[in-house]
Every structure is written in structure tokens, then in C-alpha cells.
Amino acid sequence: MSQSVFTPHSKASQGSSIPPLKIRSARVIVTSPGRNFVTLKIETDQGVYGIGDATLNGREKSVVAYLEDHVIPVLIGRDARRIEDIWQYLYRGAYWRRGPVTMRAIAAVDVALWDIKAKALGAPLYDLLGGKSREGVMVYGHANGETLEDTLEAVGRYIEAGYKAVRAQSGVPGVDLAYGVGRGDLYYEPADAQLPTETVWSTRKYMNYLPNLFEALRKRYGFDVELLHDGHHRMTPLEAAQLGKRLEPYQLFWLEDATQAENQDAFRLIRSHTTTPLAVGEVFNTIWDAKDLIQEQLIDYIRTSVVAAGGLTHLRRIADFASVWQIKTGCHGATDLSPVTMGAALHFDTWVPNFGIQEYMRHTAETDAVFPHAYSFSDGLMHPGDGPGHGVDLDEALAAKYPYDPRQLPVARLEDGTMWNW
Ligand code: EZ4
Ligand code: CO
């Protein structure tokens, strides 16, 4: 490490409004209050600390190793104020760029550093990003049911609870364990077993059924509520185009992950056949995954989250790039993203000019207790809180009572046994 670049008391740092904040320690805490979360805590010599989320559902320990073996050793002694430089160091300096493990590790550091800087300034994180652009963050909840009637009722409960937007997923007749259908009403959690649960999928049965669900939803609840749906990468591009067309009368807010997203070109075909708005990107981890989708305006919402895409430093770069084509944000917010990511995302959403919507799946009471947080929900909107930092903490003593519980996400096969996209 070059002293001239990283001396905490260098001349360049004098006169700054924040005193130097030398990173004294960084630790990874794994806890499982209902599901697994990986959290990074960075402490400075000034006593200010920051918290970042590094959870990668079903692959938690790989990020723990990446952080402990390769990231934490190079953080010690650095000036926590230099968020951008540390981001560039971790991204460029690794040589092996991108990927879900690397970018989640970088995200955890980045979010913890933004938390530290905001706390040191005594400001809510949204003020560092550029201040409030709105009074509240519109979120969508997850309604699901085994049958069409169950799903209709579940959507009704969200509307009654004040939600302005609801994602509807339903069991499909003839398909066991369709994506998005929980065993309890509130806490859908797909990572359910030590070895992946095998599910069987039929796109034909799904496509025959889904338009009936949205027809029934519009009949019962009208057109004021926003309705969303997640295809979870199951359709081919042409099937997705057909489904998008058939859903047009029901005016969805978006159809998410209509097809697998590795090949950005595939969305050109879908786009050329349907005006149903398209959202994609919860599995993306850098701007490069979405570059063509954005600059060819093949999507309407970019789903990439703070934890997946290297933290706030990179996510805001994606959002700014998307804004040129009037593409809005729609951050992933499933329960496998910890309350730390939820808090950071709500500060981002409060600032980002091209905000679209934020996914919000409620965490269990045990998770909420382990991660005390300032954010709150009222009348369909969420608020990040106005205290310093991102407003989410970790109760380490309580976290220690919930040891790691290895679980993996399911897999999907077609009816003839062919491996498919879960
Ligand atoms: O399946 O986060 O839109 N939300 C989703 C999620 C994902 C999980 C995977 O860990 O698609 O429910
Ligand atoms: Co999704």
C-alpha cells in the first residue's frame, strides 16, 4: 500500500468537514433469524461504525470467504471517507471483475462506508445523495395463493392494508410448487431445504391460466390499484411476447423477468410485440448486464438492487444511465435482502429522480428484532427515517442466538425432466 495515497492524515484531508475516519476493524456476522443474512460491520478509530448487507441467498458462505480472505485485509487502515476510491480499488483491483459474489462483497463495504460518512456528518443518507425528491416511496407487496380465489383474496388484503401496488402470483392448475406461492401468507421464502427442492414446470399450463387471474383481479378491484407479476425467467422470448400481448387489457404496472436475462438481445423480440411494461435485473450485478437493455430502451424498469450491484456507488450510476432513456428504478426487495439493504434502498429511492417503485416483502418479527431499523410503512408508502446514516443497525447479541442454517433455492425441470430456469 502506497503511503502517499492512503495516509489518513495527508494534507488533502485537512480542512475537510469530517475528520479522518481510519478503518480500525471490519467483521462479518452471519445470523439466521428465520433465514440467513450476512452482515459486514466496519468500525473506525473515531468510534463511528457502518453496517452493510452481503447476503447472497443459498450461497452465503462464498461471500463470507470473499470478504474475510480478500477484502477485509485491504480495508484496515484506509480512510473511510474515500468511498469512491475504495469502490474503484475493490472493483478494478480484483482483476477478476463482476459476478454476484464479488459485487455483493463490494456492496457490503460501500453501504457501510456511506453509513459511516452520513453518521459522521449527522445526516440521513438521502441528504448525501442529493436530498429528498419525494415525500414517500411507493412499494409493492407480495400477494399469493394456491388457487385463483385464494390469490384474489390475498390481493384484497394488501389493498385493505393500504398498498397502492400489489404483485400477484398464483398456483397453476397441474403445476406443483409454482414460483412465488408461499406456504404461509406473509413470508414467502423460497430457500427451503439443505439440498435444492425439485419443482416441475409447464409454461403451457401457466400461460393458459395467468390471463384469467388478471381478468378476475381487474373485475373485482378495478383499475386504480397497480398490479405486477413476476415470470421468473421461465418463458422463451416468443412465449413472453405472447403473454405480454394477452395481458395488455389488464394494464399491468410491469411484467418482470419475462425471459432469462443473460442475452439482452432477446428483449428486442418481446418489446416489438407488446406494450406491457417490462422489468428485469434482480440478478444483474453491474451496469454491463443492462447496457443494451437500457440504451435500446428495451425495458421500462431496472430491478437491480443495492446489495447486488456493488452498493449505492454503482447503483446510482446505473440509475443515472437509465434516466437518459426514461427508464425508472424498481429495486428488488425480497426477504433474502436484509433490512440493511431495505434501509439503504429506501434512502436511494427517496433521492433517485427516476424512481419507479420499490419491492417490499415484510421480514419476520425475529429478523426485525435482530436488525433494529428506522424505516416505516404507512398508506402504501415507505419512509427511510430522518436520523443519521441509513438507519439500520445490527443487534449482535441477539444475532448470535440464530446460528447459520444452510438452505438452498429450488431448481426447476420441465415435465420431461429437462433442467429449466427456476
Ligand atoms: O426469487 O429473491 O422479485 N422477486 C423475486 C424473488 C427471488 C428471490 C431469490 O432469492 O424474484 O422472490
Ligand atoms: Co423477481
Side-chain angles (χ1 to χ4, degrees), residues 44-45 123 241-242 246 251-252 273 333 390 402:
T44 65
D45 61 353
Q242 291 168 344
R246 291 178 59 198
Q251 297 180 32
L252 268 60
H273 290 289
H390 57 47
Y402 300 101

Side-chain angles (χ1 to χ4, degrees), residues 128-145:
L128 271 65
L129 295 171
K132 276 190 182 186
S133 298
R134 56 195 53 79
E135 302 311 317
V137 170
M138 181 166 76
V139 294
Y140 69 92
H142 277 220
N144 61 77

Side-chain angles (χ1 to χ4, degrees), residues 57 140 142 167 179 188 190 230 232 256-257 282 303 332 334-337 359 361 409 422:
N57 200 1
Y140 69 92
H142 277 220
R167 187 186 94 157
Y179 163 77
Y188 169 66
D230 190 345
H232 224 256
E256 175 187 342
D257 290 345
E282 70 186 31
R303 295 269 297 136
H332 188 210
T335 39
D336 48 295
L337 283 63
E359 183 178 22
M361 279 174 84
L409 288 167
W422 173 71

Side-chain angles (χ1 to χ4, degrees), residues 134-332:
R134 56 195 53 79
E135 302 311 317
V137 170
M138 181 166 76
V139 294
Y140 69 92
H142 277 220
N144 61 77
E146 284 288 344
T147 65
L148 193 143
E149 190 52 40
D150 289 350
T151 311
L152 285 179
E153 284 170 18
V155 170
R157 285 195 288 279
Y158 276 92
I159 295 171
E160 264 167 46
Y163 283 77
K164 299 174 194 307
V166 188
R167 187 186 94 157
Q169 306 291 139
S170 168
V172 176
V175 172
D176 283 341
L177 303 174
Y179 163 77
V181 183
R183 277 148 213 166
D185 189 27
L186 288 180
Y187 306 118
Y188 169 66
E189 174 46 64
D192 59 358
Q194 290 216 358
L195 294 175
T197 299
E198 297 246 349
T199 66
V200 178
W201 180 250
S202 163
T203 305
R204 162 65 67 193
K205 288 171 182 161
Y206 163 75
M207 285 177 62
N208 284 344
Y209 174 76
L210 197 73
N212 304 335
L213 172 67
F214 282 92
E215 185 184 21
L217 281 167
R218 285 305 186 201
K219 234 180 227 158
R220 190 168 303 182
Y221 300 116
F223 282 78
D224 282 348
V225 63
E226 302 287 5
L227 294 176
L228 298 81
H229 180 74
D230 190 345
H232 224 256
H233 325 275
R234 306 290 171 91
M235 289 170 278
T236 65
L238 193 64
E239 287 165 346
Q242 291 168 344
L243 184 72
K245 241 178 160 168
R246 291 178 59 198
L247 291 175
E248 279 171 21
Y250 315 118
Q251 297 180 32
L252 268 60
F253 185 90
W254 76 34
L255 172 62
E256 175 187 342
D257 290 345
T259 194
Q260 66 183 59
E262 292 97 320
N263 180 6
Q264 299 179 53
D265 290 343
F267 280 79
R268 217 176 280 134
L269 188 144
I270 305 172
R271 193 61 151 181
S272 66
H273 290 289
T274 180
T275 57
T276 292
L278 301 172
V280 73
E282 70 186 31
V283 300
F284 292 169
N285 44 71
T286 68
I287 201 166
W288 303 102
D289 296 325
K291 181 174 145 296
D292 299 342
L293 290 172
I294 290 171
Q295 62 188 0
E296 290 187 43
Q297 209 154 4
L298 302 179
I299 56 171
D300 302 280
Y301 297 91
I302 180 76
R303 295 269 297 136
T304 314
S305 75
V306 177
V307 65
L312 292 155
T313 295
H314 193 63
L315 186 62
R316 68 175 178 172
R317 215 144 267 155
I318 297 176
D320 280 342
F321 182 60
S323 75
V324 175
W325 289 273
Q326 299 181 58
I327 293 166
K328 296 183 176 183
T329 63
C331 289
H332 188 210

